[in-house]
């Protein structure tokens, strides 16, 4: 390995194929159909056959036990290893990390990482820990983030418009993304006038419920030539960092510290600075998160998140396109697929294939995800096998 | 008219009980035998500060209340049985212990960050239990 980066093992790890089933509102479509659409698209995109895939990691939260095998048998029973991964909103991201490890450590050369989900009943381990809580809403993310938003606005004095503009940008990006759940641009007036949910968060500043699927194929650098893959369409994974919550240093800082630490670890592993990122897909389940996390990741200075957005620095064509896909607010957040969908967006952008929403000269991208505000994961992708 | 709260049971008996005044709540903490800090709730299987194992012998009661850190109005019923609008807040109920609670005031204009709150028992519609609301420390009773 070079430079001590474990992702350099086996000749490096490359994303060679991407595929999605559009995110959509809950429907009667079986999850197998959602998932297989995404996997078949990823195989076709890579030019690989199912029988060449040696292992599969499936991120999902709400389908049930052994969802992967039940779905993937329809592609052929090849005997590959299938592992299901669950880590709340970050399930797909952690499936991707497992796939990276398998390739980098030379266990396999061709691995599928995918996410698929149906909208579930939201059962959470936090409700089964045998502990009572003073408030019935204590484990509901919308309440936590509304409290965080209020503190942010109190501290920064930006007014509700500052965070509503996140939703305007991301709904606008989603309108250009054929895989997005929402395909309509929204004006600031519309975002602000939509019904209030909690605190200053209106419904158009909150991610929707939904379902969908996303898949990527990972191949070792050693195998790229043998498999005859086009190096210009193979995007390298440079960093994978994961962490969980620490005791918070100051009220409300817990999730911000979590994002900062995981992003910093990933950037160090990749050997780049935050301001070198051209693309950043992050967990904007609630609008205020994008302002907070763009500061925490370091694409802008602390306290500058709203100004960064206001100046257009985070739009497609700006300094760093944040949530070019539309993010969780616009593209949607079906949980299992979300983190994989982020990776697919970054790969599409770096290849220069994001027709209609292409960020110019995109080279470096970070996919950052958190799960239930307590686990974090960051991946950095950059350049192709031709560079 | 306020019903006699002493005839009702706590909805969350592991968290609080009626204080001697028949209106306020005492919170049930665990005091860690290792680091001496308070953890909440008392039946958590480990100290939230140092991770030391704790058991029932560590339980201590303290007057329920604390410092209001932040609050918002919930405009929709987030969980079954919750009326809307209602107010949720984060309260520091002990050193390094922050819990979300229901704030029992009519509207946000009566609140400010840093305000001292006390926990009071509020009779629930079931007629059998009381729950916990936080009100400004100087207030005489609950409005909700
Ligand atoms: Zn302790």
């Amino acid at each position: 390995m070079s430079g001590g980066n474990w992702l350099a093992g086996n000749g490096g790890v490359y994303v060679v194929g991407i595929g999605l089933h559009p995110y959509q509102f809950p429907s009667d479509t079986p999850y197998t159909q959602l998932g297989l659409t995404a996997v078949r698209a990823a195989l076709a995109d890579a030019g690989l056959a199912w029988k060449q895939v040696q292992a599969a990691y499936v991120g999902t939260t709400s389908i049930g036990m052994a969802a992967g095998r039940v779905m993937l048998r329809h592609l052929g029973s090849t005997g590959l290893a299938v592992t299901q991964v669950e880590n709340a909103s970050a399930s797909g991201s952690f499936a991707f990390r497992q796939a990276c490890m398998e390739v980098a450590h030379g266990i396999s050369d061709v691995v599928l990482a995918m996410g698929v989900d149906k909208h579930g009943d939201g059962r959470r381990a936090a409700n089964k820990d045998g502990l009572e809580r003073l408030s019935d809403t204590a484990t509901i993310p919308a309440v936590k983030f509304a409290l965080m938003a209020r503190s942010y606005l109190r501290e920064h004095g930006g007014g509700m418009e500052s965070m509503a503009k996140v939703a305007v940008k991301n709904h606008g990006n989603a309108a250009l993304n054929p895989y997005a759940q929402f395909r309509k641009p929204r004006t600031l007036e519309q975002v602000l006038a939509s019904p209030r949910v909690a605190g200053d968060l209106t419904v158009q500043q909150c991610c929707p419920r939904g379902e969908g699927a996303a898949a990527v194929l990972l191949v070792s650098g050693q195998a790229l030539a043998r498999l005859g893959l086009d190096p210009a369409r193979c995007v390298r994974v440079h960093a994978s960092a994961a962490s969980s919550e620490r005791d918070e240093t100051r009220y409300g800082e817990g999730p911000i510290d979590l994002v900062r630490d995981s992003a910093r670890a990933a950037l160090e592993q990749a050997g780049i600075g935050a301001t070198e990122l051209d693309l950043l897909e992050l967990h904007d389940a609630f609008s205020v998160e994008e302002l907070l996390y763009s500061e925490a990741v370091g694409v802008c200075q602390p306290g500058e998140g709203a100004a960064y957005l206001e100046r257009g620095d985070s739009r497609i064509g700006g300094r760093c396109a944040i949530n070019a896909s539309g993010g969780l607010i616009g593209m949607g957040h079906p949980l299992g697929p979300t983190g994989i969908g982020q990776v697919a967006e970054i790969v599409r952008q770096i290849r220069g294939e994001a027709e209609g929403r292409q960020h110019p000269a995109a080279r470096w991208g970070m996919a950052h995800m958190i799960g239930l505000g307590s686990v974090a994961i960051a991946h950095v992708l950059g350049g192709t096998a031709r560079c | 008219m306020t019903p006699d709260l002493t005839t009702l049971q706590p909805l969350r008996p592991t968290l609080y009980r009626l204080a001697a005044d028949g209106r306020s709540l005492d919170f049930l903490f665990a005091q860690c035998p290792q680091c001496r800090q308070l953890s909440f709730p008392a039946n958590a299987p480990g100290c939230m500060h140092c991770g030391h194992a704790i058991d029932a012998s560590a339980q201590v009661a303290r007057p329920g209340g604390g410092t209001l850190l932040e609050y918002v109005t919930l405009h929709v019923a987030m969980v079954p049985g919750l009326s809307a609008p209602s107010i949720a807040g984060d309260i520091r109920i002990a050193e390094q212990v922050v819990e979300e609670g229901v704030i029992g005031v009519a509207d946000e204009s009566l609140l400010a960050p840093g305000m001292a709150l006390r926990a009071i028992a509020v009779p629930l519609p079931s007629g059998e239990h009381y729950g916990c609301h936080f009100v400004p420390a100087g207030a005489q009773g609950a409005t909700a």
Side-chain angles (χ1 to χ4, degrees), chain A residues 132 136-137 151 154 199 251, chain B residues 12 14 70 73 75 90 100:
Chain A
E132 296 186 311
D136 291 340
T137 61
S151 288
R154 206 185 283 288
Y251 168 68
Chain B
R12 308 277 183 235
T14 63
E70 194 52 270
T73 299
H75 301 279
D90 276 339
E100 188 187 308

Side-chain angles (χ1 to χ4, degrees), chain A residues 130-140 142-144 146-147 150-151 154 196-200 247-248 251, chain B residues 11-16 40 43-44 69-76 78-79 82 88 90 99-101 108 113 134:
Chain A
L131 304 179
E132 296 186 311
R133 288 172 176 81
L134 288 173
S135 164
D136 291 340
T137 61
T139 60
I140 296 182
V143 180
K144 282 286 159 223
L147 288 162
R150 179 61 62 79
S151 288
R154 206 185 283 288
R196 281 206 197 190
V197 178
D200 308 307
D247 290 338
E248 66 183 13
Y251 168 68
Chain B
L11 184 67
R12 308 277 183 235
T14 63
L15 304 183
Y16 49 74
F40 189 82
N43 63 336
L69 299 169
E70 194 52 270
Y71 51 90
V72 289
T73 299
L74 308 183
H75 301 279
V76 295
M78 299 265 171
V79 289
L82 183 77
D90 276 339
E99 289 290 316
E100 188 187 308
E108 289 183 20
F134 289 86

Side-chain angles (χ1 to χ4, degrees), chain B residues 32 34-35 47 49-52:
Chain B
C32 176
Q34 185 77 25
C35 73
C47 169
H49 308 287
C50 77
H52 191 78

Side-chain angles (χ1 to χ4, degrees), chain B residues 37-124:
Chain B
Q37 295 205 72
L38 295 177
S39 277
F40 189 82
N43 63 336
C47 169
M48 62 193 292
H49 308 287
C50 77
H52 191 78
I54 45 179
D55 60 26
S57 67
Q59 185 172 307
V60 293
R62 295 278 187 273
T67 306
L68 180 62
L69 299 169
E70 194 52 270
Y71 51 90
V72 289
T73 299
L74 308 183
H75 301 279
V76 295
M78 299 265 171
V79 289
L82 183 77
S83 62
S86 62
I87 301 176
D90 276 339
I91 304 110
R92 192 183 304 285
I93 61 168
E95 195 175 340
Q96 292 188 336
V97 183
V98 176
E99 289 290 316
E100 188 187 308
V102 179
I103 313 292
V105 299
D107 73 79
E108 289 183 20
S109 67
L110 301 165
L111 301 171
M115 178 180 261
L117 301 179
R118 70 186 178 105
I120 60 163
V122 286
L124 298 176

